[in-house]
Amino acid sequence: MAITLPILFNNRHILPSGRLPLRVVPGEQLKTVKYAMQNGLDIGVCMDETSPIGAGIGTRVTIEDFNMANEDGALTITVCGHESFVIDSIKENDSGVIEAQCQALPKWPERAVSNDAAPLAERLQIMFERYPELSSLHKAPNFENLSWLCQRWLELLPIPASEKQVLMAANSCSDTAEYLLSLMKDPH
């Protein structure tokens, strides 16, 4: 099913069931957020548009909270991810906001955490304990669901956007789990 979303280009990924604070700078980004809020629309968050592959896949989000502008005029919004999508086409609407025609990607099925994948849960729990601000974003963490774990790791780790995009486009978390476990076994 095709959907049209105003697009917010950002240097961070958010995935389904994720919550993330995003810094919105004055100009095109702030204009997009204002447009979405005034019209009761969700937003599509994509990696920075300077990366051709980064703009191809994103996540539909709702704005849950916002903090007023800093001294530089930036706004911080907290968004909640719903489903990932692939962009079919991008255009500027009559209000000067970039919109995209998108196709939703299949939701990753829930999957129990096997013994082999247990380090993903254990290490994310440690991260949540060390960084309370991260833990506070996820009121109901799902450490038993491998799909949820993999999506949180993709949000957190500084993996190249091109690799994240390939993993996000998969039909399940299997490839992502293998990739993440290989990173943990063979730290770079």
Side-chain angles (χ1 to χ4, degrees), residues 20 24 52 73 83 93 106 111 121 123 125 141 151 155-156 159 179:
L20 197 63
V24 177
E83 78 263 351
N93 70 15
R111 196 164 125 196
R123 291 186 182 181
Q125 286 174 323
Q151 290 169 330
E155 290 170 345
L156 292 170
I159 298 168
Y179 177 83

Side-chain angles (χ1 to χ4, degrees), residues 11-181:
N11 61 356
R12 298 181 71 187
H13 267 115
I14 179 166
L15 286 94
S17 301
R19 285 184 169 67
L20 197 63
L22 297 177
R23 188 169 184 274
V24 177
V25 296
E28 193 170 310
Q29 285 187 342
L30 190 56
K31 182 178 180 180
T32 300
V33 170
K34 284 181 181 178
Y35 175 82
M37 292 179 81
Q38 288 169 344
N39 292 286
L41 301 172
D42 291 344
I43 297 174
V45 175
C46 297
M47 288 295 285
D48 194 307
E49 75 264 55
T50 58
S51 165
I53 190 158
I57 294 179
T59 301
R60 180 180 66 84
V61 303
T62 52
I63 299 171
E64 291 189 336
D65 195 11
F66 62 92
N67 293 316
M68 295 311 291
N70 301 325
E71 56 276 353
D72 64 355
L75 177 73
T76 301
I77 59 174
T78 302
V79 296
C80 176
H82 297 290
E83 78 263 351
S84 294
F85 58 80
V86 62
I87 293 176
D88 290 331
S89 63
I90 293 180
K91 67 175 179 61
E92 188 174 313
N93 70 15
D94 295 339
S95 299
V97 171
I98 302 295
E99 287 185 324
Q101 285 285 326
C102 312
Q103 297 290 328
L105 290 170
K107 181 180 176 185
W108 287 357
E110 288 193 19
R111 196 164 125 196
V113 177
S114 65
N115 287 339
D116 290 345
L120 294 175
E122 294 161 3
R123 291 186 182 181
L124 190 61
Q125 286 174 323
I126 291 168
M127 291 275 291
F128 274 39
E129 289 168 13
R130 282 192 188 150
Y131 301 98
E133 66 278 7
L134 178 63
S135 178
S136 70
L137 289 170
H138 301 281
K139 310 240 184 295
N142 194 349
F143 294 108
E144 299 80 33
N145 178 355
L146 187 59
S147 292
W148 186 87
L149 289 170
C150 288
Q151 290 169 330
R152 299 303 67 82
W153 279 115
L154 285 179
E155 290 170 345
L156 292 170
L157 291 175
I159 298 168
S162 59
E163 291 178 36
K164 283 187 184 187
Q165 296 284 311
V166 169
L167 295 169
M168 287 172 67
N171 290 327
S172 76
C173 67
S174 298
D175 292 342
T176 302
E178 286 180 32
Y179 177 83
L180 294 170
L181 288 166

